[in-house]
Amino acid sequence: MKAFFFKRIFIVTMVAMALVSLAFLLVRKETAPMVSGLEGLLILYCGAAFLWAKSQRIDSVVIVRTGIGLYVALSFAYVIMYKHANTLDFLLIYKSYIYLFFLTFLADKRLMTAKGVLNFYTFLLGAFFIKYLLALVLHTDDRPVVYEENNFELMLLYSLYLVRFSITRKKAFFVLGLVGVITILSLSRSSLLMYSVLVFYVFYTSFPRTWVYVIPVALVVMGAVIYFIFSERSGSLEDIDRFKFMTIFWGEVKHWNLWHWLVGNERITPLSYYACDNMSYFTNLFSYSGDGTCYSVILHSFLFRVILDHGLLGLVLIIYATWLLMNKSGISRNVILVFLAIVLINGLSVSSFNNLFFAISMVFLMTTNMKFLQVPARVEKHDQNL
């Protein structure tokens, strides 16, 4: 019962944050302080589910939870107690593992009613469309946001579409088109690539016999839009910030041996002086210690960051843990693959698995009652009263 209470508070908080964001239309303003509060509420929600929501013991999930917990705890002891690094730097670098640790508490638990999630998604689409459109029309923000940077938050819209599609099995092309319009309004290149994956999945699932004809046309349209956004926001290749990040990343790893590629640098190793100096215009991403050092977060791309800090094995562990949790929660294999593709594309540009909206997307995917339309009405009514 208490877990359902936290569920309602969780959704109400997100609705309230969206309304606050709409209230700031005339001023460039993000709800960042509330995002931090939402992160705390997410942890409380997972803890409440662990304590009060019934489910069968899943040994593989317990093993993953224990492994991640030990990795984070031992790393914390070494980094903080021995190396005396800044705690906030540690939490930022290990955030994806911390999210996954708490998400293990949600495996195979149906806490969200389908009707409630669908209603929330409808509201969220309206809030995003209004905020993004008016922010551009009123010239208050070239890259409009509702919660946080749109590279981060749009992942949630794509994930909730997967939930909607899984529940209703309806194509809902109007909804898919609205999500596409919101994506274009965001002027986010990585988000457009994520949206493309979603479109291909819907067309492939809806038209299994004709998708080979539809997808090439969709590719041409998507390619034209992507080219427009790239040409509007970029000059030469050297002017593209992600290209700069890649060259700095290569400078940090070009002398690595096999062991380094597998496990990464020693826990929380600062980047070289050369790297930090070349990224000095991102001083807000430097170490919280204020000593002028910088860590992998300066490179933005999660894939670069996770390889530097945790190695290829660390990346594999994160992907496997995500797949396992969704699989044990009854999510179909196709949805899992599409979601992972979306998150990994996000990782080419920004924080991916380190993103709060990745964790929130997992909450909705793992805990929504996907069989809403197949169960008797009296059962759903009982669920809504919980």
Side-chain angles (χ1 to χ4, degrees):
M1 297 292 289
K2 294 180 181 179
F4 283 91
F5 169 76
F6 277 108
K7 174 261 294 188
R8 290 179 178 178
I9 295 297
F10 188 74
I11 291 181
V12 168
T13 301
M14 294 200 66
V15 169
M17 290 171 62
L19 292 174
V20 169
S21 180
L22 288 173
F24 285 129
L25 269 172
L26 297 179
V27 181
R28 179 170 181 169
K29 186 74 175 179
E30 299 178 15
T31 53
M34 294 184 69
V35 170
S36 300
L38 185 60
E39 201 162 36
L41 187 59
L42 170 71
I43 294 174
L44 289 176
Y45 175 47
C46 294
F50 177 72
L51 293 173
W52 294 301
K54 295 180 180 179
S55 70
Q56 295 181 349
R57 178 186 177 91
I58 307 176
D59 290 337
S60 55
V61 173
V62 174
I63 292 172
V64 168
R65 179 191 305 152
T66 304
I68 291 176
L70 285 174
Y71 178 56
V72 173
L74 292 175
S75 298
F76 181 84
Y78 174 70
V79 168
I80 304 301
M81 299 179 184
Y82 178 72
K83 294 184 69 174
H84 303 292
N86 187 280
T87 302
L88 294 178
D89 289 330
F90 172 85
L91 292 176
L92 189 59
I93 290 173
Y94 281 79
K95 186 184 286 189
S96 55
Y97 293 97
I98 296 171
Y99 283 151
L100 288 169
F101 175 81
F102 284 102
L103 287 171
T104 60
F105 298 147
L106 301 179
D108 195 32
K109 295 183 179 178
R110 297 291 179 263
L111 305 176
M112 300 278 191
T113 59
K115 184 176 180 180
V117 172
L118 294 179
N119 289 337
F120 170 64
Y121 188 39
T122 300
F123 163 80
L124 209 58
L125 286 173
F128 269 77
F129 177 72
I130 292 172
K131 179 67 186 290
Y132 279 27
L133 179 62
L134 291 182
L136 293 178
V137 170
L138 299 175
H139 302 289
T140 61
D141 197 342
D142 293 334
R143 297 289 302 278
V145 299
V146 171
Y147 298 111
E148 209 170 9
E149 182 180 341
N150 52 41
N151 280 341
F152 292 66
E153 64 186 12
L154 284 174
M155 185 193 303
L156 178 60
L157 292 190
Y158 308 142
S159 302
L160 285 172
Y161 186 91
L162 289 175
V163 173
R164 187 191 193 285
F165 192 69
S166 299
I167 293 171
T168 64
R169 304 307 301 170
K170 294 180 180 179
K171 304 175 185 65
F173 288 132
F174 173 78
V175 177
L176 185 64
L178 180 58
V179 175
V181 170
I182 293 170
T183 301
I184 293 173
L185 291 174
S186 73
L187 295 179
S188 168
R189 298 168 293 198
S190 60
S191 295
L192 193 57
L193 292 175
M194 290 187 283
Y195 175 70
S196 301
V197 172
L198 184 65
V199 170
F200 296 153
Y201 167 67
V202 173
F203 273 89
Y204 174 76
T205 306
S206 304
F207 307 104
R209 296 182 180 179
T210 59
W211 70 274
V212 292
Y213 304 106
V214 174
I215 286 185
V217 176
L219 279 172
V220 172
V221 174
M222 291 292 178
V225 176
I226 291 172
Y227 174 78
F228 170 76
I229 293 178
F230 267 81
S231 61
E232 285 293 306
R233 294 182 52 199
S234 303
S236 64
L237 181 63
E238 290 74 14
D239 293 329
I240 300 176
D241 50 8
R242 269 56 185 179
F243 178 77
K244 295 179 182 178
F245 303 154
M246 183 179 67
T247 57
I248 291 175
F249 167 78
W250 179 246
E252 297 293 306
V253 303
K254 63 183 179 181
H255 300 301
W256 273 13
N257 55 32
L258 178 61
W259 176 252
H260 282 106
W261 280 105
L262 290 176
V263 301
N265 280 321
E266 183 184 358
R267 303 309 84 175
I268 305 195
T269 297
L271 299 187
S272 65
Y273 172 80
Y274 171 82
C276 296
D277 184 60
N278 274 269
M279 302 295 290
S280 58
Y281 46 91
F282 284 119
T283 53
N284 60 315
L285 296 177
F286 275 37
S287 171
Y288 285 100
S289 63
D291 59 2
T293 59
C294 68
Y295 294 98
S296 61
V297 65
I298 203 77
L299 300 179
H300 289 69
S301 168
F302 176 80
L303 297 182
F304 294 157
R305 294 164 57 181
V306 71
I307 292 172
L308 279 170
D309 295 322
H310 308 285
L312 293 173
L313 290 179
L315 176 60
V316 170
L317 173 59
I318 290 172
I319 295 173
Y320 171 74
T322 303
W323 175 86
L324 178 69
L325 293 179
M326 297 180 71
N327 179 259
K328 295 300 182 182
S329 298
I331 309 300
S332 72
R333 182 180 63 179
N334 287 341
V335 171
I336 295 174
L337 292 175
V338 172
F339 179 69
L340 283 174
I342 289 172
V343 179
L344 288 171
I345 290 173
N346 185 266
L348 295 172
S349 178
V350 284
S351 57
S352 190
F353 296 93
N354 249 42
N355 183 350
L356 171 62
F357 293 96
F358 154 74
I360 294 175
S361 297
M362 287 285 287
V363 168
F364 285 106
L365 284 163
M366 292 171 62
T367 66
T368 300
N369 178 13
M370 298 291 192
K371 297 182 180 179
F372 167 68
L373 297 181
Q374 286 74 45
V375 300
R378 65 178 183 276
V379 175
E380 179 60 24
K381 183 178 181 180
H382 170 71
D383 287 345
Q384 292 180 36
N385 291 330
L386 290 177

